[in-house]
Amino acid sequence: AVLLALVSWQATASDPIRVNGFVCKNPMEVNADNFFKAAALDKPRVTNKVGSNVTLINVMQIAGLNTLGISIARIDYAPLGQNPPHTHPRATEILTVLEGTLYVGFVTSNQPAPNRNKFLSKVLNKGDVFVFPAGLIHFQFNPNPHKPAIAIAALSSQNPGAITIANAVFGSDPQISDDVLAKAFQVEKNTIDWLQAQFWENNHN
């Protein structure tokens, strides 16, 4: 019994302790750099083919965020660009517009008829704030064909996650059966095959 206790103590003493999958640092070794990143969030980003770029700063970039339940993102929108319908499985998001105008919205979870999935939307101008509840499908769209837009979002998790709906459904690897998707979307299989043949680009960095 003593031998087992010693082996157990040695394993505990030598193995790193993890919380949320991340190694906890000895408090005596913590310094300011563990809570800092020169993220250059004031600089514009290049957008992709859907017309947006999400620069997320989470626990992967700042180790000191672990267990603190918060992260931040800068989102750049090209003219007529969008951050397409997606969800954050582990976080509520609060977004503010820094430049331009955004049309934003989210869809509620499944409800009995006649409410079903209610769509809530708003046009946001510079300085406006909007909240997207955790886990719900939401989007942002820049309706201006001539000017870009910029937003900052705070999320209530150190690792909020993101599931872009079109990418997940039509761009999965391996692909979901077109029989399944044709039945789910009530369309012909060749429509599903065409969608699955597209390149589904990720706009989250």
Side-chain angles (χ1 to χ4, degrees), residues 146-179:
H146 305 294
K147 294 182 179 180
I150 305 168
I152 289 287
L155 300 107
S156 63
S157 171
Q158 63 269 8
N159 188 19
I163 303 170
T164 305
I165 307 305
N167 297 42
V169 173
F170 300 113
S172 65
D173 184 15
Q175 291 180 340
I176 300 172
S177 164
D178 56 3
D179 289 315

Side-chain angles (χ1 to χ4, degrees), residues 77-81 100-102 141-149:
Y77 310 85
L80 300 180
T101 299
L102 291 176
F141 171 70
N142 178 10
N144 192 313
H146 305 294
K147 294 182 179 180

Side-chain angles (χ1 to χ4, degrees), residues 47-56 73-88 93 95 101-106 132 136-143 149 151-153 155 161-167 201-205:
T47 57
N48 66 1
K49 71 175 185 177
V50 297
S52 65
N53 187 314
V54 180
T55 304
L56 176 65
R74 173 190 167 119
I75 313 169
D76 290 79
Y77 310 85
L80 300 180
Q82 67 170 296
N83 188 10
H86 63 283
T87 73
H88 301 294
E93 175 181 348
L95 176 142
T101 299
L102 291 176
Y103 170 56
V104 307
F106 68 86
F132 305 102
L136 298 185
I137 296 173
H138 61 283
F139 69 90
Q140 302 104 36
F141 171 70
N142 178 10
I152 289 287
L155 300 107
I163 303 170
T164 305
I165 307 305
N167 297 42
E201 189 170 3
N202 180 22
N203 69 331
H204 287 70
N205 295 319

Side-chain angles (χ1 to χ4, degrees), residues 112-133:
N115 295 323
R116 304 198 179 187
N117 301 92
K118 189 171 184 180
F119 175 51
L120 305 174
S121 65
K122 196 79 174 172
V123 174
L124 307 182
N125 297 306
K126 183 176 180 179
D128 290 344
V129 175
F130 197 82
V131 174
F132 305 102

Side-chain angles (χ1 to χ4, degrees), residues 175-191:
Q175 291 180 340
I176 300 172
S177 164
D178 56 3
D179 289 315
V180 172
L181 295 180
K183 184 74 171 179
F185 287 94
Q186 298 291 287
V187 297
E188 298 296 326
K189 287 206 308 183
N190 59 1
T191 301

